[in-house]
Amino acid sequence: MRQALDTIAPRPADRERQVTTVVDVARRAGVSAATVSRVLAGRNVVAAATRERVLEAVRALQFQPNAFAQGLRSGRGQAVALLVSDIEQTVYSALTKHVQAALEEIGLDLLLFNLGHRQDRLRGLLERATALRLRGIVIASNDVIPMRELKPLVSALQRQGVSILSIGQRLDRYGIPSVVHEETAAAARAAQYLLDTGRAPIAYLSRIRNSATGQERYRGYLAALKGAGIDVDPALVWDCSYRYAAGYEAMSRALDRRLAFRSLLAASDELALGAMAAALDRGLKVPDDVAIIGFGGIAWGEHVRPALTTLGADPKAIGEHVRDMFRNLLDGGDVPRQTVVKRPLLLRQSA
Amino acid sequence: MRQALDTIAPRPADRERQVTTVVDVARRAGVSAATVSRVLAGRNVVAAATRERVLEAVRALQFQPNAFAQGLRSGRGQAVALLVSDIEQTVYSALTKHVQAALEEIGLDLLLFNLGHRQDRLRGLLERATALRLRGIVIASNDVIPMRELKPLVSALQRQGVSILSIGQRLDRYGIPSVVHEETAAAARAAQYLLDTGRAPIAYLSRIRNSATGQERYRGYLAALKGAGIDVDPALVWDCSYRYAAGYEAMSRALDRRLAFRSLLAASDELALGAMAAALDRGLKVPDDVAIIGFGGIAWGEHVRPALTTLGADPKAIGEHVRDMFRNLLDGGDVPRQTVVKRPLLLRQSA
DNA sequence: GCGCAGCCTGCAAACGTTTTCTGATATCGT
DNA sequence: ACGATATCAGAAAACGTTTGCAGGCTGCGC
């Protein structure tokens, strides 16, 4: 019995597992199960006196209706799955926080799945949705999604009444309503700001190939240059990952090659900070020698010296839109194909 | 009809909502529903030929068993709730990532709830657990939990067969198996390191009052000083929040008051970085004038100059322990009251 | 040739709700 | 005072799965 001291066996005997049901409540209140259900559903077809007795019994027995029975009977649960690229990145954790809060407001639970940038996991996860009788699925991913092959599955789910939403990436041409941050316009605005402050030539640093948002931001950069009548210098466009180290390395290499540029637009704050560190390490002054603008508005950028100028995010607004859309969808209403959330240009010290 | 162009109405007519059930599969395979169930449950009491026919039908119809029906029948679902202080903090998002992955390995879904440091939300969330027929609840919070008043509720849940685990905070004296990082010992180790390198006096910066881990870390600091025969100087113990700004402010004030100390042990990386920034702003050299050690191992600390020496975390190990414990619990086995995960002392530049 | 064991499969009940249908009582108008 | 109507509450079916029980069939030993 010594082991009992440092282990815990929380599983009780099976007979103990009794949980109060609607019939227990009914018996105590002297009514039928149907009546209890009606009271709890808030139908006002129940006489006030009866309702009181029922509510009293519910309180006394601490009755909690079995969600599985409800879900089985109604054919639908109260859960929404959130599929996220990488919860560890602050963009996604901030998003998750606000989406969770917003869904909680309308009584929905959040089932979290972390894709870990593995797009092949998507199919399996979407297939689970049917079994789980989900209310909806929210996809939050910047990675390019193989919608071509996923489309039939998505349509089948939608036919089953599962509301599918995309956050951060436009998927509306596949029939998926999307809530996105401003990307192209935001990047263009940032580039324009650099042009206006006489910072041309502007280098561009981003994950472009496999990132949907990366591509959109890149278009904004191109548009701004084109608007100013400037030709894009391919040597100043650096396609890499989104990580800090990649930014550091790209900037180092550019300086080694003595490329001529007076500013940098980076498609993520991590990249921007990495690049900034490299520039500072080589004795350059930021923003005097090279101005830098990032993307995302992470906390770290606010505290670093010089503080990072960046296109911020608004996860709260996104969460609220998601909530409103679900509210609409549950009422059988329509929902906009696309909702765009503004990105504030947070002017700090680096540009 | 113009509106149809930019809105989407994904809800189909109700009659369309048909989803294949076990009877559909049974009919197609020419067997009874019971047999289908047996095949899917992996019971080998079914003849090989029959099993093949059933599996063929399952594939053809893309059958997915209704999780609600299963949950209702078996009295228990496949979901675990993760209650987190603040998913936006990297500590928690890293934890969440690994816990999710670990649970997925054993076929459990993760229901995420963000406490937002509001302990009053705990009760309501725990009450929901009964309705949701959860497999388990994982509490990941540094905040002090009012276990005194929650204990009856927790016991009731455990009696219902809900496995409750705590991450990061020892709750085993309330019958909740806990997986924790080394705190007291880690703080003592860090303080000892500072002593060994001749960095006394050591200032201590933390959220102490309302943080369970804050208290444990503080005990480590005290123990190390006591071990070295040094009296604690109350003026060098600064109790504040865990945020960057608090660290900056605390250090600024200490320098204004010309307090004498040659190093700082901070109970979070954010605090440490804030304090370091304040020191650098006043022209002090880190680590020469003041050495700094943080707690947590966040990414930012690795990139800042000087790079932050810190007690790291091991969320992966924690996730794996949680997985193993659930595996055990689902088999009706015992589980250790307490599991301690080591913190590596990541020696970088700041100390 | 008969009984018996063993293998496989079907029947039906059960999980806990919600909802439709129906019936009982009270209320009202004439 | 009688029938019509409104109001409330119960009985029972249904949601889709799992499982105990029973039964049919095959093969075997006697």
Side-chain angles (χ1 to χ4, degrees), chain A residues 22 37 43 63 70 73:
Chain A
V22 79
S37 174
R43 295 215 197 299
F63 171 65
Q70 293 181 313
R73 172 67 224 223

Side-chain angles (χ1 to χ4, degrees), chain A:
Chain A
M1 285 307 289
R2 203 199 163 294
Q3 194 176 3
L5 288 174
D6 47 349
T7 66
I8 296 181
R11 208 153 69 149
D14 276 357
R15 54 169 179 76
E16 285 230 51
R17 299 253 198 121
Q18 278 299 6
V19 171
T20 63
T21 78
V22 79
V23 251
D24 298 323
V25 177
R27 192 162 28 223
R28 187 178 222 268
V31 298
S32 75
T35 301
V36 175
S37 174
R38 280 187 277 248
V39 169
L40 261 25
R43 295 215 197 299
N44 53 353
V45 294
V46 179
T50 317
R51 181 207 313 284
E52 266 323 304
R53 283 213 317 285
V54 170
L55 288 177
E56 198 283 324
V58 166
R59 270 192 303 271
L61 300 175
Q62 310 213 52
F63 171 65
Q64 299 272 112
N66 184 328
F68 285 120
Q70 293 181 313
L72 175 58
R73 172 67 224 223
S74 69
R76 190 100 316 192
Q78 295 293 111
V80 168
L82 177 63
L83 277 39
V84 142
S85 283
D86 182 1
I87 186 74
E88 216 172 339
Q89 285 178 242
T90 50
V91 207
Y92 292 111
S93 61
L95 217 48
T96 301
K97 168 179 167 172
H98 287 102
V99 169
Q100 196 271 325
L103 289 179
E104 194 166 323
E105 276 182 48
I106 51 178
L108 295 178
D109 295 319
L110 184 71
L111 230 28
L112 181 74
F113 295 94
N114 199 49
L115 294 171
H117 297 293
R118 306 223 357 244
Q119 298 308 315
D120 53 310
R121 279 173 42 98
L122 253 169
R123 166 170 291 273
L125 257 22
L126 290 176
E127 279 166 355
R128 294 282 315 280
T130 304
L132 294 172
R133 296 299 190 275
L134 293 178
R135 224 30 195 247
I137 302 175
V138 179
I139 302 175
S141 167
N142 285 336
D143 303 313
V144 172
I145 293 176
M147 275 307 289
R148 185 67 57 89
E149 54 177 273
L150 254 30
K151 177 66 181 158
L153 188 48
V154 165
S155 301
L157 284 170
Q158 290 175 326
R159 249 175 286 122
Q160 288 169 26
V162 182
S163 307
I164 305 186
L165 261 49
S166 170
I167 289 183
Q169 178 170 177
R170 286 193 56 177
L171 255 29
D172 54 308
R173 72 207 129 117
Y174 301 105
I176 301 180
S178 307
V179 185
V180 296
H181 269 124
E182 192 182 41
E183 305 288 4
T184 308
R189 207 158 67 236
Q192 191 60 52
Y193 177 82
L194 291 171
L195 291 173
D196 291 347
T197 51
R199 291 306 186 153
I202 308 173
Y204 187 76
L205 178 57
S206 171
R207 180 155 77 116
I208 303 179
R209 285 186 309 276
N210 292 316
S211 167
T213 51
Q215 289 165 14
E216 291 187 51
R217 291 170 197 175
Y218 183 51
R219 278 207 296 276
Y221 167 75
L222 295 180
L225 292 197
K226 189 167 182 187
I230 300 176
D231 283 341
V232 178
D233 178 355
L236 291 184
V237 175
W238 311 325
D239 186 354
C240 57
S241 85
Y242 268 145
R243 313 189 70 83
Y244 180 93
Y248 192 95
E249 200 188 333
M251 175 62 90
S252 301
R253 208 170 333 150
L255 295 176
D256 284 345
R257 294 173 57 197
R258 306 196 176 282
L259 294 177
F261 57 94
R262 297 216 55 231
S263 63
L264 170 72
L265 178 55
S268 91
D269 281 351
E270 284 85 356
L271 278 176
L273 291 168
M276 187 157 84
L280 295 174
D281 278 0
R282 311 239 161 177
L284 292 185
K285 298 255 180 275
V286 177
D288 296 338
D289 297 325
V290 52
I292 297 181
I293 297 186
F295 238 98
I298 64 174
W300 174 12
E302 194 176 344
H303 300 310
V304 83
R305 303 305 149 81
L308 183 69
T309 290
T310 184
L311 275 321
D314 195 347
K316 183 136 182 284
I318 293 202
E320 283 162 2
H321 278 119
V322 168
R323 178 200 56 198
D324 293 345
M325 290 170 82
F326 269 108
R327 246 207 277 260
N328 257 344
L329 290 168
L330 302 191
D331 289 352
D334 282 4
V335 126
R337 300 183 79 85
Q338 196 200 166
T339 311
V340 178
V341 172
K342 282 251 179 295
R343 281 190 188 274
L345 176 57
L346 304 173
L347 282 174
R348 296 199 280 239
Q349 301 161 347
S350 72

Side-chain angles (χ1 to χ4, degrees), chain B residues 22 34 37 63 70 73:
Chain B
V22 79
S37 173
F63 171 65
Q70 293 180 313
R73 172 68 222 225

Side-chain angles (χ1 to χ4, degrees), chain B residues 44 46 75 189 202 222 226:
Chain B
N44 51 355
V46 179
R189 207 157 67 236
I202 308 173
L222 294 181
K226 189 167 182 187

